[in-house]
Structures are given as C-alpha cells and as structure tokens.
Amino acid sequence: DGLRVVNDTHGHAFGDHVIRELGARFKAMCGKGEQIARLGSDDFIAGKMVGDEAALWVFIDRLQACFHAPIEEQGLSVNVSACMGVAIFPRHGGDPGTIFNNADLALHRAKDSLGQDLCLFDPAMDEDKRSRRQLAVDLRGAAAEGVNRRVGVGAGDLRLNAGRDGAVDDPAADQQQQDTDKHLDRGHRQRRVT
C-alpha cells in the first residue's frame, strides 16, 4: 500500500527499489509449492497448495512478515504495508480465474475497510460487486445505444432514456438538479445581499 506516496515523496527510483526489495523478500520466504509473482505496479499474487486451512494461515503470516522491517536505500527508509485478499480453492471457485477474481474482490474489501489489511472472500462480496458491475454495464449500454432501457437497481427499476449523443434523460434527476440549482442560486443571492 502507498507506493504512489513513496514515488511522490522519494522518487520513482526509490519506489522501484521498494518493489525489488519486496520481490527479494518474497522469494526468500517461499518454500516448496509456494509461488509469488508480480502482476504489475505494486500488485502481487501468491499461491500455495495446502492440505488444510491452518497451513494457509501460516503462509499468510509469513507473507505479512515480509512487510515488518523497513525498506532502506541510500539513507532513505520507509515502512510498507499491504492489503491482502484471500480465496480458497475449491470453496471460493473451481478454476484459477474464479479464484483470482474472488481474491481480488476480497482485496478491494480489505482496502475499503479502515484498519483491515486482510480479508477472506465471502460470496456476498461477489454478488454485491457483480450487481454493481452489471449496473455500470447496463448504464453504459443504455447511453451508448441511444434507446430506452430499464436497468435494475436493487429491488426497483430505473428507467433511462438515452439520446443519440449518449446523454441520459432522467426526468426525476433533471428536476432534482433544477431544484438544487435554484437552491444554490437562492443561497448565492442571499450571501451577496448580506
């Protein structure tokens, strides 16, 4: 976490050093049947074949230990941390792609939760994220197609009328925006008079 801050504060060369140092720490801690790979930027993926869940948690503890010591170079020192999402085969998916996606959902839940750096996948996360993704796809599709489309939102529906230019007509939202604009304009006039 916070590689962007490291880059902005100490420069990209030091940020690259942090990534290389973490890679070396991960490589040193890996045992038989354990793999860690960098996906890009500051994203890594780790995997281990385990016979029981207790062995998985030992592996995770060892991963987390890689972040305990500060990373130093040429008089600079930073403490780094990481959020982790965990998915277990076959409980959370029957193929590598599903396991990866579910671990990613758990990772984002950990990042979104204050004080939580580790999150085990829960199927409720998947349903929530899928619903949000589908809503985004439906909204983009309605805007791009320039047609009327009903989009599911929770228990209700939202009716979108997308024009040819991709603008979305929503009479209720338009009215709410007009009311807001009037309120802001009224408040601006009152402040000017006072």
Side-chain angles (χ1 to χ4, degrees):
D1 293 331
L3 182 63
R4 180 175 294 176
V5 173
V6 170
N7 285 336
D8 291 347
T9 305
H10 302 294
H12 287 274
F14 187 75
D16 291 346
H17 171 72
V18 168
I19 294 295
R20 284 191 305 275
E21 176 63 23
L22 286 173
R25 290 179 185 185
F26 293 149
K27 185 176 180 180
M29 64 80 46
C30 273
K32 186 176 180 179
E34 299 172 343
Q35 297 181 12
I36 300 177
R38 182 176 177 205
L39 296 174
S41 185
D42 60 349
D43 294 327
F44 290 84
I45 186 169
K48 176 178 176 68
M49 298 294 290
V50 294
D52 60 32
E53 205 169 304
L56 172 65
W57 296 111
V58 169
F59 176 61
I60 290 170
D61 287 342
R62 290 181 21 244
L63 280 172
Q64 289 176 320
C66 292
F67 297 93
H68 291 169
I71 295 177
E72 299 174 345
E73 165 94 349
Q74 298 179 355
L76 297 175
S77 176
V78 295
N79 291 308
V80 293
S81 63
C83 287
M84 297 181 194
V86 178
I88 301 170
F89 174 86
R91 184 186 338 163
H92 300 134
D95 61 85
T98 302
I99 291 295
F100 177 82
N101 287 336
N102 290 342
D104 192 52
L105 288 171
L107 168 66
H108 289 285
R109 178 68 56 93
K111 286 183 175 196
D112 292 343
S113 302
L114 289 174
Q116 181 178 347
D117 60 357
L118 178 70
C119 184
L120 179 64
F121 175 76
D122 178 338
M125 290 176 204
D126 188 38
E127 187 54 41
D128 179 55
K129 194 69 159 186
R130 285 185 204 284
S131 294
R132 290 173 184 258
R133 285 180 183 159
Q134 188 59 51
L135 178 60
V137 166
D138 289 347
L139 289 169
R140 278 193 296 275
E145 291 172 16
V147 297
N148 289 337
R149 182 187 276 188
R150 188 172 297 277
V151 179
V153 181
D157 284 337
L158 172 66
R159 182 108 182 138
L160 298 177
N161 298 311
R164 291 200 180 275
D165 61 356
V168 175
D169 289 334
D170 180 354
D174 289 343
Q175 184 60 48
Q176 184 178 12
Q177 184 63 51
Q178 289 171 6
D179 293 346
T180 301
D181 290 344
K182 285 179 191 173
H183 177 73
L184 291 174
D185 185 50
R186 199 174 319 126
H188 179 69
R189 280 193 310 243
Q190 289 174 349
R191 279 193 299 276
R192 246 185 311 164
V193 171
T194 321

